[in-house]
Amino acid sequence: MTLAELQHGSLSLIAAINSNGEACKRLNQLGVIPGAEARILRAAPFGDPMQVRVDNTVLSIRKRDADQIQVELV
């Protein structure tokens, strides 16, 4: 399951990021790393961008980036 497919409010753990290069580096710098907790807080109309809490940080992530993040439900 990807972060983009996660139901609002569901708690998950980030399992992997299926991206290389700058996108992966940028996500890692924001704390989006395997093992971090992630929860969708809200999304704009049409689901893009979405507001996500990753551990104790609130981020706005584009849906195409959220599609690259594999998560496991907790």
Side-chain angles (χ1 to χ4, degrees), residues 5-7 9 11 14-16 19 23 27-28 33 38-39 47-48 51 56 60 62 65-66 70 73-74:
E5 298 168 334
L6 193 66
Q7 296 288 323
L11 183 61
I14 296 173
S19 176
L27 289 169
N28 286 335
I33 56 174
R39 182 186 306 260
D48 193 25
Q51 192 175 43
N56 293 321
S60 290
R62 293 177 289 194
D65 290 332
Q70 295 293 317
L73 289 175
V74 176

Side-chain angles (χ1 to χ4, degrees), residues 35-68:
E37 290 184 356
R39 182 186 306 260
I40 302 292
L41 300 178
R42 62 182 65 103
F46 305 110
D48 193 25
M50 54 183 49
Q51 192 175 43
V52 181
R53 178 180 297 276
V54 177
D55 285 336
N56 293 321
T57 304
V58 176
L59 306 169
S60 290
I61 296 179
R62 293 177 289 194
K63 188 172 182 179
R64 70 177 184 212
D65 290 332
D67 279 332
Q68 304 301 313

